[in-house]
Amino acid sequence: MNRVIIGSQWGDEGKAKITDLLTVNADVVIRSQGGCNAGHTVVVDGKTFKFHLVPSGILYDGKVCFLGAGTVILPEFFKKETDDLIEQGIDLSNLKISPLASITMPYHTEVDGFVESTTTKGKIGTTKKGIGPTYTDKMARIGLKIQDLYSLETLSEKLDVILPQKNKVLEKVYGLQPYTKDCIISLCEMYAEIFRPYVCFNWQEMLETFKKQNKNILFEGAQGVMLDVDYGTYPYVTSSNPIAGGACTGSGYGPCMIDEVAGVAKAYVTRVGEGPFVTELTDEIGKRIQDIGHEFGATTGRPRRCGWFDAVIMRYSALVGGLTTLALTKIDVFDDFDEIKVCTAYKDSRNGKIYYSYPTDVYMHKYLEPIYETHPGWKTSLSGIKKYEDLPENAKKYLSRLEELVNIPISIVSVGPDREQTIFR
Ligand code: IMP
C-alpha cells in the first residue's frame, strides 16, 4: 500500500501525528517537496524531537527515509537538525538524499529575508528560509543540486554561468554583497562533507528495488494544498507543489504507484503568514481556538490565524489535491463550545453572488463573506474516546455533515495529541 499524506488547508493540519501513526505500516518514507519551512515536533517516550527536513519516520528502526529531487535543502540547517538527532541517539544510517535535490545557498536566504523585511504591500510572510529564491533559481535553470558538490569541474562550469547573473541581481536589485567563485567553491566543499553520509547516488536502483519488492511507501507532504504554487492562494503560497501530484514529480515515482491520498484537515482552519482567509475569526472565538489549539508556528513561532472549517476550500482541496480519504484532527478543541460553525459557501458582498466552488482570484476575496451553518457542540471531552460509535451524537452528526459537504470519507479522527487519541474508522 503506497500512501500520500498531504495537508489539505494552509499547512499545520496535524500531518506529523497522522504521518507518525501511518509510518508504522510503511517501509519507506519519502519527502518530495518543500524544505526547512516545514516543522513539527514528535514526542516519543517523553523525549521531544524536532523535525524540519528529516522525515520523522527516522525514529522507527529500519525505515528508509528519502528526501527526493523536489526538495530544497539549506545545508547549515540540515547539519543542525541531523547533529541534534544524532546527539539524541537517533541512528541516521537510513536517511538518504537525492543527488537531484536543490541546495539553498546563502544568497537565497539573504534575498528572502531582504524582500520580507523591506516589502510592505503584498508581503507574503514567508518563513525566511530561502524557499522561494531557491525554487526560483531551480526553475530559471541556475540552481545548484547536491550532485554538483562532488564534481569540481561541474561546479566550476555552472558557477561561471550562475555567478555573473546572480551577482548582478544581488548588487543592482537588492543592494546586497556579491559572491566570488572561490567563496562559493569553499562553501560547497563544506556542504559536500555535510551531505556525504546521506547522498544516495544509487537512488534509481533503490527506487526500483522498493518497487519490485512491493515495499509500502509513505509520501510525506509538507505545507498544504492552499499553499500550492499552482493551485493555492497565489501569490500568498509557498513555491512548491504540496498537492498529491507533487509526490510524483518530487520523488521519482509515477502516479500509478499511489494507492491512497490522505488529506489531513483540522476541524477548523489556521494560517500563518499573509494572504486571504475567508473564514478567519479576528474576534474572541478566534483567540479561543488559538489558545485551546496552541496555534503557534513550529518553525517561526508566529501565532497562527484561526477560523471556522471552510467546506469551500476543502472541496477544492479534495479535487486538486487528489484526496481519497480525510483525517480530521483537533476536533477535541471544540469540546467546550456551545456551537460550531461550518462555512458551506461564500457570498460576494458586491452583488450577492454565491460561490460553492472556490473562486481562484484571491484579490477579490476581500469582498467574500462566509455563509455559515451552525452545529450544536457536544460539551464533553472526546480525548479518551477510542471508537467512532462511542462519540457523542452531536460529534457524529458534525463529522457526517463535513463528509457530506466535502464528499470525501473521514477515515481518521484525532481527538488529542497522543498516538492513542486516534479513532480509525
Ligand atoms: P515560504 O514557504 O517560506 O516561502 O513561505 C510562504 C508561505 O507559506 C508563508 O505564508 C508561510 O507562512 C507558509 N508556509 C510555509 N511552510 C509552511 C508550513 O510548513 N506550515 C504552514 N505554513 C507554511
Side-chain angles (χ1 to χ4, degrees):
M1 162 75 134
N2 297 333
R3 189 185 263 139
V4 180
I5 299 180
I6 57 171
S8 57
Q9 295 157 331
W10 277 288
D12 309 317
E13 298 90 351
K15 288 185 292 294
K17 176 181 160 173
I18 305 300
T19 303
D20 178 52
L21 284 168
L22 298 179
T23 298
V24 176
N25 301 319
D27 304 302
V28 180
V29 182
I30 304 184
R31 253 201 73 182
S32 315
Q33 44 75 225
C36 57
N37 46 350
H40 60 260
T41 304
V42 176
V43 181
V44 179
D45 299 333
K47 256 184 159 179
T48 302
F49 300 93
K50 297 220 180 268
F51 292 97
H52 295 278
L53 280 158
V54 179
S56 54
I58 206 70
L59 295 178
Y60 290 88
D61 278 346
K63 311 222 185 248
V64 174
C65 292
F66 180 54
L67 299 178
T71 57
V72 293
I73 304 186
L74 177 59
E76 295 84 353
F77 203 97
F78 177 81
K79 178 163 173 31
K80 167 97 181 54
E81 186 171 333
T82 46
D83 281 353
D84 287 351
L85 287 168
I86 292 168
E87 208 169 285
Q88 288 177 288
I90 304 302
D91 172 17
L92 298 186
S93 54
N94 277 324
L95 177 62
K96 320 245 174 238
I97 304 182
S98 168
L100 298 179
S102 295
I103 304 173
T104 297
M105 299 299 288
Y107 44 80
H108 294 133
T109 37
E110 283 165 28
V111 168
D112 198 3
F114 178 85
V115 173
E116 275 296 304
S117 54
T118 53
T119 309
T120 41
K121 200 164 183 236
K123 182 178 158 129
I124 308 292
T126 73
T127 59
K128 299 190 188 169
K129 297 289 189 292
I131 303 293
T134 312
Y135 278 115
T136 302
D137 280 4
K138 166 176 152 169
M139 290 311 187
R141 295 160 291 197
I142 53 166
L144 289 175
K145 291 180 176 281
I146 303 252
Q147 65 184 9
D148 304 335
L149 302 173
Y150 302 95
S151 159
L152 188 57
E153 191 181 339
T154 305
L155 188 61
S156 172
E157 237 180 85
K158 284 186 84 168
L159 288 177
D160 286 341
V161 176
I162 294 170
L163 273 185
Q165 297 183 42
K166 196 86 270 173
N167 281 337
K168 229 183 261 173
V169 174
L170 286 174
E171 285 182 280
K172 303 228 158 78
V173 177
Y174 300 109
L176 296 169
Q177 288 298 313
Y179 281 84
T180 62
K181 189 173 172 183
D182 282 350
C183 167
I184 296 290
I185 288 179
S186 66
L187 272 174
C188 286
E189 282 166 357
M190 180 178 89
Y191 296 165
E193 293 317 306
I194 293 176
F195 294 124
R196 197 180 295 283
Y198 309 103
V199 191
C200 184
F201 285 105
N202 66 342
W203 65 274
Q204 298 170 50
E205 291 78 9
M206 183 179 78
L207 293 196
E208 195 63 51
T209 307
F210 292 155
K211 201 170 159 184
K212 276 198 192 122
Q213 295 179 346
N214 262 326
K215 294 284 186 200
N216 294 313
I217 301 168
L218 190 145
F219 299 87
E220 176 182 335
Q223 291 85 48
V225 171
M226 299 312 289
L227 287 171
D228 186 276
V229 69
D230 290 302
Y231 294 99
T233 46
Y234 190 92
Y236 301 96
V237 292
T238 191
S239 300
S240 65
N241 286 115
I243 56 167
C248 296
T249 52
S251 69
Y253 280 129
C256 291
M257 282 290 283
I258 295 167
D259 303 302
E260 181 181 282
V261 180
V264 186
K266 273 181 191 151
Y268 48 93
V269 182
T270 64
R271 172 162 209 177
V272 273
E274 307 300 320
F277 180 176
V278 177
T279 63
E280 180 170 13
L281 294 163
T282 51
D283 58 6
E284 270 312 298
I285 302 175
K287 183 82 186 67
R288 198 171 157 207
I289 294 175
Q290 190 183 70
D291 288 344
I292 302 173
H294 309 292
E295 296 298 350
F296 298 89
T299 300
T300 58
R302 291 177 290 179
R304 295 177 185 143
R305 300 153 65 194
C306 298
W308 294 117
F309 187 91
D310 183 342
V312 180
I313 66 164
M314 281 307 303
R315 280 193 288 271
Y316 177 71
S317 191
L319 175 72
V320 301
L323 309 190
T324 59
T325 187
L326 211 56
L328 196 79
T329 62
K330 292 197 151 183
I331 181 173
D332 53 297
V333 167
F334 290 139
D335 282 355
D336 279 332
F337 278 55
D338 294 325
E339 37 187 47
I340 301 151
K341 291 192 180 175
V342 174
C343 168
T344 57
Y346 300 155
K347 181 176 163 187
D348 190 324
S349 58
R350 293 169 298 178
N351 52 23
K353 186 172 173 191
I354 306 292
Y355 290 92
Y356 290 98
S357 296
Y358 177 74
T360 53
D361 179 355
V362 302
Y363 289 86
M364 296 301 124
H365 283 205
K366 54 181 174 283
Y367 301 116
L368 299 179
E369 292 165 357
I371 299 176
Y372 287 122
E373 59 182 31
T374 303
H375 296 260
W378 38 90
K379 304 288 283 178
T380 180
S381 169
L382 302 185
S383 64
I385 296 179
K386 304 253 184 287
K387 288 200 231 129
Y388 189 81
E389 305 79 76
D390 296 339
L391 284 169
E393 261 330 287
N394 282 352
K396 276 195 232 163
K397 277 190 195 149
Y398 172 72
L399 290 169
S400 300
R401 181 61 180 145
L402 297 192
E403 284 186 317
E404 191 176 60
L405 285 167
V406 182
N407 205 16
I408 296 281
I410 297 174
S411 53
I412 299 177
V413 181
S414 169
V415 294
D418 292 343
R419 281 179 181 168
E420 294 70 37
Q421 292 174 304
T422 313
I423 299 169
F424 288 93
R425 281 174 89 190

